[in-house]
Amino acid sequence: MDVGKGIREIGVEDIVRAGLSPWEARSFYVSLRDAISRSPWGEADQIWRTITDARLLRPRHPHSLHQLVYYSTYHGWDVSRRGPPLYWFPSLDSSRQTNLGRLMETHGRNLMGHAYKDPITSFIEFQQFSVEHPQVYWSLILKELSIIFHEGPKLIIDASDRRKNAVTWLPGSRLNIAECCLSPMDSLGKVDDGVAIIWRNEGEDGDPVKHMTLSELRSQVMRVANALDAMFYKGDAIAIDMPMTTTSVVVYLAIVLAGYVVVSIADSFATKEIASRLRISNAKGIFTQDFIIRGGKKYPLYRRVREAGSCKAIVIPAVGKDVDLQLEEGDISWSNFIQHADHLPRPDQYSPVHMPINATVNILFSSGTTGEPKAIPWTQLSPIRCAADSWAHIDTKVGDIACWPTNLGWVMGPIMLFSCFLSGATLALYNGSPLGHGFGKFVQDAGVTMLGTVPSLVKSWKSSKCMTGFEWSSIKVFGSTGESSNIDDDLWLSSQAYFRPIIECCGGTELASSYVQGSVLQPQALGAFSTPSMSTGFVILDDNGNPYPDDQPCVGEVGLFPVYMGASDRLINADHDKVYFDGMPTYKGMRLRRHGDIVQRTVGCYYVVQGRADDTMNLGGIKVSAVEIERACNSSDDSVLETAAVSIKHFSGGPEHLAVVVVPKEGSVPDPDQLKAIFSRAIQKNLNPLFKVSFVKVIEEFPRTASNKILRRVLRDQMRQEHYARSKL
């Protein structure tokens, strides 16, 4: 967005037009001029920092005022020379209080010598140290998390098997990662009477939030573990297909504690998708709900599960104590299932099953956008990895209350569970839709300190204004993942908590983590990542598979270093090496690991993920990503909620044509021909004067995967068919 003038040119009348009353505008103008005068050297980033440090802009202010101040502050900012504009800056004092900052202050001088200065100045060098010396980094991290080994590892890394594309982590160790989640740890301040889970059900907005202590959670998990032993054999795969509630979290931990394997299935899946996951995993049982309740309406879940397969179903009531339907023969209600533990003298006590570090504890699935979903086994390394990244990058710790609307069928569900319980933070769950007023009130009432999002959710909040009026000042950090973020949407989100940082995260189920993220030890730019994750190395490859220099701005496919703690080393239903390593170049003696993202490294070494390698299009001989085009189009017209860009060719060949599919804002009825002209001007101005939009189609909603990614392949096929039909006419 270009407001057409710089911050020093803003007058009272501009502030009034942005939504303040004349009296408020005059007062704001005086404060704004004072902030500008107090900014050292008058640089744009320093002016913005002074404005946000003074909390001149407040959540109650209209977004148009936030836009006016931010975009006018950075008016004329040369991204090609200076990199993306920054909106959040860590302070030295606060950096030393973070998890990673404290670790760096304790060990930095011993590990890095005089090169170590402080957590902010030395962050890049310390991240590189963690890549070059993973055994040192991970030996420190294991002491910072709630990890209890039954048998300790012989060493951190065993790289003796040269036939493998990766190394062996923590060989010889045995533990139970669920036991680690449920055990108190004095060194972290993680105690039995501390709150482990805080939650609220949709429709109970006027009630106090509910709490469960660590001790109460452990007792419930152990009772379920005892009941499991009465029905299943050790090592059985047991599915969970239901919303992420306290009960599903208890079930998840109990399955792992008792030596079984969780099969993660999202509650949004259709019968066919449920069936394929039950078949691939060979699940012997499934925990589900009778219904899903959203907005006061009941949506059948048990019926879908029952149609999908023949394994035994344990059915949990959505409300009350009894299921609200007749179960089929062989299935069992939750209340009857729990009674399997009642005959034991101590039903709330259980001896955890200690397993090798590489034992499978969870089977998750890729989105399945191009056929049968890949079945990805998580070992006990995977929870350690995702918890460590949350600890280091988002600063998750005891005292935090972390909320991320998700599901145990998506990778963020297990990531949230382990990130909280292995660091001692409280997991906050809202059993209902995150799209409305009730969720915002829960965030406020629960005192959430870390709020995770996906960009489409933020776009919905901003568009509907459903979060207006809530007090979110307890939030210290946001998280964002799942798709590329929109800069203006991120500006709105950050402004809801006095411009707290949004830590962007990009990774994958097979990595159990993000390979590129933000960090609370670095200044942050909207819609961008600031660093490879700790101990992660990668290069960006040119069209010939050669890596660009590490400090050079560039765009290309990312290649991950194969020494990656927690990443998959096998697939249940596909050839792992073929999927992730075949055809990848060698770098410094290492076969790089494929991830499939096209990444831009900017001036200043920030990163923007521009989409998947197969989403890149060639327009007139110029390569461009769908994400770049969508960013230009999304902000070009007020009627547009979101766009998806695809390229199409005629069946007989020829050049690629650019098509843009549009979801309009509620109540808007845009004209496709007008949008085509608007979009063409926007991409010609922001990307390349030779680009033009050939087709625009307006639809109600995008087809998406269960993890909310846009199915561009489906849109591309639809647009190609329409283009072919139009050509014949």
Side-chain angles (χ1 to χ4, degrees), residues 146 188-190 195 396-400 419-426:
S146 182
L188 300 183
K190 181 185 175 189
V195 177
T396 308
K397 63 180 71 170
V398 170
D400 278 328
S419 294
C420 287
F421 297 151
L422 292 180
S423 68
T426 298

Side-chain angles (χ1 to χ4, degrees), residues 610-678:
Q610 297 195 340
R612 302 292 292 172
D614 53 7
D615 283 339
T616 301
M617 54 190 80
N618 188 319
L619 302 178
I622 302 170
K623 285 188 176 181
V624 63
S625 76
V627 172
E628 287 181 286
I629 293 173
E630 289 159 10
R631 283 188 175 133
C633 293
N634 284 343
S635 59
S636 64
D637 190 83
D638 289 340
S639 69
V640 173
L641 179 63
E642 56 184 334
T643 61
V646 296
S647 64
I648 53 176
K649 285 185 178 181
H650 193 273
F651 285 90
S652 61
E656 295 183 26
H657 297 277
L658 174 59
V660 180
V661 187
V662 180
V663 174
K665 292 179 180 176
E666 187 174 355
S668 297
V669 187
D671 178 75
D673 289 334
Q674 289 183 1
L675 287 181
K676 184 169 75 170
I678 292 170

Side-chain angles (χ1 to χ4, degrees), residues 1 8 13 39 46 58 74 76 83 85 105 116 119 124 129 162 192 198 220 229 352 402 451 458 627 664 667 691:
M1 178 179 179
R8 291 179 176 82
E13 65 280 2
S39 302
Q46 292 300 321
R58 301 183 179 183
Y74 284 108
E105 289 287 87
Y116 180 77
I124 294 175
F129 177 90
R162 296 295 180 182
D192 268 346
I198 185 170
Q220 291 197 26
D229 281 352
L451 178 60
V458 176
V627 172
F691 291 168

Side-chain angles (χ1 to χ4, degrees), residues 226-404:
N226 279 311
L228 287 169
D229 281 352
M231 293 182 60
F232 298 100
Y233 295 101
K234 294 299 182 187
D236 279 352
I238 304 171
I240 300 176
D241 185 357
M242 60 182 291
M244 191 166 176
T245 63
T246 53
T247 302
S248 63
V249 169
V250 166
V251 169
Y252 185 104
L253 291 170
I255 292 172
V256 177
L257 189 75
Y260 304 101
V261 179
V262 177
V263 179
S264 292
I265 302 178
D267 61 8
S268 59
F269 281 145
T271 297
K272 181 180 178 181
E273 294 168 310
I274 299 170
S276 68
R277 285 153 176 80
L278 293 176
R279 173 181 53 80
I280 293 168
S281 63
N282 193 27
K284 304 301 183 184
I286 183 168
F287 285 84
T288 189
Q289 269 184 194
D290 50 1
F291 297 95
I292 297 174
I293 299 178
R294 293 288 183 268
K297 296 181 179 180
K298 295 168 63 175
Y299 301 92
L301 181 56
Y302 170 68
R303 187 176 70 194
R304 270 189 281 140
V305 167
R306 189 65 280 152
E307 292 171 354
S310 58
C311 65
K312 179 183 289 292
I314 299 96
V315 186
I316 297 156
V319 293
K321 295 183 179 180
D322 298 314
V323 294
D324 191 19
L325 44 66
Q326 182 68 39
L327 301 184
E328 293 193 16
E329 184 178 354
D331 296 338
I332 184 173
S333 69
W334 173 253
S335 58
N336 287 337
F337 166 76
I338 287 295
Q339 289 175 11
H340 281 87
D342 287 350
H343 69 283
L344 298 172
R346 295 180 178 177
D348 296 341
Q349 298 294 315
Y350 192 87
S351 296
V353 176
H354 296 112
M355 301 171 285
I357 189 71
N358 60 354
T360 299
V361 294
N362 193 178
I363 298 172
L364 297 104
F365 296 86
S366 66
S367 297
T369 59
T370 56
E372 184 174 81
K374 295 189 293 290
I376 301 166
W378 266 27
T379 70
Q380 298 195 92
L381 288 166
S382 308
I384 297 174
R385 175 61 193 239
C386 65
D389 276 4
S390 179
W391 179 93
H393 288 265
I394 300 180
D395 196 38
T396 308
K397 63 180 71 170
V398 170
D400 278 328
I401 299 172
C403 179
W404 203 312

